[in-house]
Amino acid sequence: MRYAEPETVEEGLALLSTHDDARCLAGGASLVSRMNAGQVAPAMLVSLHRIDELATTTESAEGLWLGAMSIHRAVATEARLRGAMEVVRSAASQLAHPAIRNMATLGGSLCLADPKTELPAALVAASARVEVAGPAGRRSLPVEQLLVGAFQTSLGKGELLTRVFLPRGLGGAVGHHLRFSRVSADYPTVSVSLVLAMDGETCSHARVVLGSCGPVPLHVDAADAVLVGSRLEARDVAEAGRLLVQASAPLDDVRGSAEYRRMLIPRLLGRALSQARELAHV
């Protein structure tokens, strides 16, 4: 296996385009463990830790650009992630344990596309976009279009995820993330990421995304529509939960059966909405 440490995005792209079985190495939290387990065996590793551009955070009037090499701990402590963007900070602060949060990266989590990880769902809830660099230049696309299946992305040969854009969202909106797991540092059995805005006691905006309930983060427009214009009463939450359960495709594993996950969805949704509504009224 060959190993390289490019110092610019362009150098990294050149290496990726000239080696058929090259893989990017970010924090290494997932890739190295998969290599040790014999699940992947890349012919070349392209380390990204010397590319300063990928670790840069840039703020604008529209939102915040986070470099793909931003570690989870930095995302969890980024004070500028407020309002609707708070859902991403909330998820980053809860996932895994400190050792993982100190090494795993935002871009690595997205490019791994593990349906059990939490940041992808939070990013979808925040309506985040990614910038991708490749042989044809740079392009931007929603996170939903990047994640196409379990451990599958829409990245083409020789492409590299460079940064993630988080829009500020509606004024007065709040972001919240809630997870349910067997133990605190384990993958969640189900997670709920949402952005909520209230006009008095009436919901004026809702975007709910589930994790660990299918091959990609689960977002159902019809479920959001049920909540918007409602007072988030039990019947409204139950109907939104029913639509999410109906659209879900959870797997059976050691963390819970598919049936158990479907049972959790409406219960966690109700709890997450209640907590977010309290935040919106603070």
Side-chain angles (χ1 to χ4, degrees):
M1 182 180 67
R2 300 182 62 188
Y3 177 80
E5 295 182 346
E7 296 185 357
T8 66
V9 169
E10 290 69 29
E11 290 176 7
L13 293 176
L15 289 166
L16 291 173
S17 63
T18 55
H19 295 81
D20 290 335
D21 192 20
R23 295 289 295 269
C24 291
L25 177 65
S30 298
L31 178 59
V32 173
S33 65
R34 295 185 72 200
M35 291 171 60
N36 290 338
Q39 296 174 343
V40 293
M44 183 173 194
L45 284 180
V46 180
S47 174
L48 306 178
H49 78 281
R50 291 187 182 275
I51 303 178
D52 290 340
E53 176 186 341
L54 302 185
T56 302
T57 297
T58 306
E59 187 175 17
S60 70
E62 292 75 30
L64 207 63
W65 282 101
L66 299 176
M69 287 293 285
S70 300
I71 61 172
H72 293 350
R73 177 175 55 80
V75 177
T77 57
E78 175 53 73
R80 289 172 290 184
L81 293 178
R82 300 184 298 270
M85 299 185 290
E86 174 73 23
V87 63
V88 176
R89 186 167 70 155
S90 177
S93 68
Q94 296 178 55
L95 61 83
H97 51 77
I100 294 297
R101 293 196 290 271
N102 282 334
M103 64 185 296
T105 66
L106 183 61
S109 183
L110 279 171
C111 292
L112 178 64
D114 185 341
K116 301 185 298 297
T117 56
E118 296 168 80
L119 272 179
L123 289 165
V124 172
S127 302
R129 301 180 63 86
V130 296
E131 180 186 82
V132 174
R138 303 203 182 198
R139 60 189 176 100
S140 175
L141 68 158
V143 169
E144 298 99 306
Q145 293 180 18
L146 175 73
L147 305 170
V148 297
F151 300 100
Q152 293 181 315
T153 72
S154 59
L155 291 176
K157 177 177 167 53
E159 288 192 319
L160 172 67
L161 194 155
T162 57
R163 55 182 183 165
V164 178
F165 178 69
L166 296 173
R168 296 193 185 280
L170 294 174
V174 298
H176 185 57
H177 177 80
L178 179 66
R179 73 195 315 268
F180 176 85
S181 61
R182 299 179 301 170
V183 294
S184 61
D186 194 12
Y187 285 115
T189 306
V190 174
S191 67
V192 180
S193 296
L194 61 87
V195 173
L196 181 74
M198 300 294 294
D199 181 6
E201 295 301 318
T202 301
C203 173
S204 58
H205 174 80
R207 184 172 172 86
V208 177
V209 182
L210 303 182
S212 299
C213 290
V216 296
L218 178 63
H219 175 233
V220 179
D221 287 330
D224 294 346
V226 167
L227 299 173
V228 174
S230 79
R231 296 173 66 87
L232 300 182
E233 296 177 346
R235 64 176 181 274
D236 307 309
V237 176
E239 176 59 14
R242 185 189 68 79
L243 292 170
L244 289 165
V245 169
Q246 187 178 57
S248 68
L251 297 177
D252 294 305
D253 64 17
V254 297
R255 296 172 182 88
S257 66
E259 180 182 3
Y260 181 55
R261 285 184 160 96
R262 291 190 179 98
M263 181 191 73
L264 285 174
I265 289 171
R267 292 163 172 80
L268 283 181
L269 174 63
R271 189 181 305 172
L273 285 168
S274 178
Q275 293 171 353
R277 180 164 53 184
E278 289 183 10
L279 293 172
H281 286 151
V282 170

